[in-house]
Amino acid sequence: RGHRHNIYNPRFHLAGAQVGDHKTYGTVADVVLAGAFKLDEEKYRKRLKNGPLELEASRRKEVIKTQWSKSIGTCYVCRKDIHGGSVIEKGKFRKYHRECYKCYKCGESLTRKPSRDTKEKGKVRDVCITCWTKDYAPRCDFCKKPITGDLVKVRIGGVSLSFHVKCNKERKQQSSGRVKSPSRSKSPISRSSRPCRRSPVSRKPRRPTTKTAKTSFASAITAKKGIMNAYAELE
């Protein structure tokens, strides 16, 4: 820009400055470089007597435009033209003045803060995370708390339910623990609860154990020896 070169131009020794209000930027400063000026004695004495002059920009009511002759878009909130300054773009079709980009519920500025979109009165609204969690976030059907992160949707009995990822796992564990197949049940069944199906026929005698078999064999040998001794005495 030309004024950057004029700062070091040796022909300019003086500078006049003026500050005023600006609709887009808030405040604007105008600096005029000059090589000399002519002093108006009457205005100079009046200025010393009355103090600083009132800025013309503070009384100005009309819209002050920037170097853009045409509008660069329409603000999504106030529906007025945007002529520059701090512009916030969200998505493909939404632009905001910086001062208009606020939470729809609490009015807090959303500049450099996370926000969420929600529909209100048929129009997309911007809300802060606090208001979104309080008024719009889906509720977990297991713990009844708002879901701010990932969620799992499950259709049970024709009804769509929402859960936290952790709550959904816990729900599955509790469900599998309550409903078990009888064949897989590990709980013992008491004998008193079973129907009596015993047969009236007496049970067969058990096979002798090893110890009983050895005792019977020894008795047989002793009996055999007694019989042989008896025959010997008869002879």
Side-chain angles (χ1 to χ4, degrees):
R1 294 182 180 180
H3 70 274
R4 297 177 181 175
H5 298 283
N6 292 334
I7 292 175
Y8 301 100
N9 192 326
R11 294 183 301 170
F12 300 121
H13 306 285
L14 303 170
Q18 183 178 4
V19 180
D21 299 329
H22 197 283
K23 182 174 180 59
T24 302
Y25 295 109
T27 305
V28 61
D30 182 26
V31 179
V32 180
L33 302 177
F37 76 100
K38 182 178 180 181
L39 180 63
D40 190 325
E41 295 291 341
E42 183 179 355
K43 290 184 177 181
Y44 177 69
R45 294 190 187 93
K46 187 177 180 180
R47 169 75 168 78
L48 294 176
K49 181 180 179 181
N50 298 331
L53 297 174
E54 183 181 359
L55 298 177
E56 293 182 3
S58 62
R59 300 192 305 266
R60 193 174 297 155
K61 299 299 180 181
E62 68 272 12
V63 177
I64 306 173
K65 296 185 178 182
T66 62
Q67 61 266 30
W68 289 282
S69 58
K70 295 182 179 181
S71 170
I72 59 175
T74 304
C75 179
Y76 186 77
V77 177
C78 68
R79 311 307 300 172
K80 295 181 179 180
D81 293 338
I82 301 174
H83 295 282
S86 298
V87 182
I88 296 173
E89 295 186 17
K90 193 172 182 180
K92 295 182 179 180
F93 307 102
R94 290 156 63 187
K95 295 181 181 180
Y96 304 81
H97 293 114
R98 184 174 183 177
E99 60 272 15
C100 295
Y101 188 51
K102 299 178 181 179
C103 175
Y104 175 74
K105 300 294 289 186
C106 65
E108 183 179 358
S109 175
L110 296 177
T111 306
R112 297 182 181 179
K113 294 181 181 179
S115 63
R116 299 293 293 267
D117 294 344
T118 185
K119 277 193 174 183
E120 188 79 18
K121 297 180 180 180
K123 187 176 180 181
V124 177
R125 306 290 185 177
D126 303 279
V127 293
C128 62
I129 295 298
T130 303
C131 293
W132 184 84
T133 303
K134 179 182 177 182
D135 300 328
Y136 302 102
R139 301 283 169 171
C140 177
D141 290 290
F142 186 80
C143 67
K144 307 303 179 183
K145 295 181 179 180
I147 304 174
T148 57
D150 296 334
L151 63 84
V152 178
K153 288 191 174 182
V154 182
R155 195 169 187 84
I156 302 175
V159 180
S160 180
L161 304 177
S162 302
F163 303 96
H164 292 104
V165 176
K166 185 177 179 180
C167 292
N168 187 49
K169 293 181 180 178
E170 188 175 350
R171 177 190 65 84
K172 288 182 178 180
Q173 292 175 358
Q174 290 189 8
S175 178
S176 60
R178 288 195 304 266
V179 182
K180 288 188 176 181
S181 175
S183 60
R184 298 182 181 179
S185 177
K186 297 182 180 179
S187 58
I189 302 176
S190 60
R191 291 185 177 271
S192 60
S193 62
R194 294 180 178 178
C196 182
R197 294 183 181 179
R198 291 186 178 181
S199 175
V201 182
S202 61
R203 293 183 179 181
K204 294 181 179 181
R206 294 183 179 180
R207 296 180 62 182
T209 59
T210 305
K211 185 176 181 180
T212 308
K214 289 182 179 180
T215 305
S216 302
F217 182 73
S219 302
I221 294 175
T222 305
K224 184 178 180 181
K225 287 182 178 181
I227 294 172
M228 292 180 66
N229 292 335
Y231 275 110
E233 291 177 358
L234 290 176
E235 291 178 356

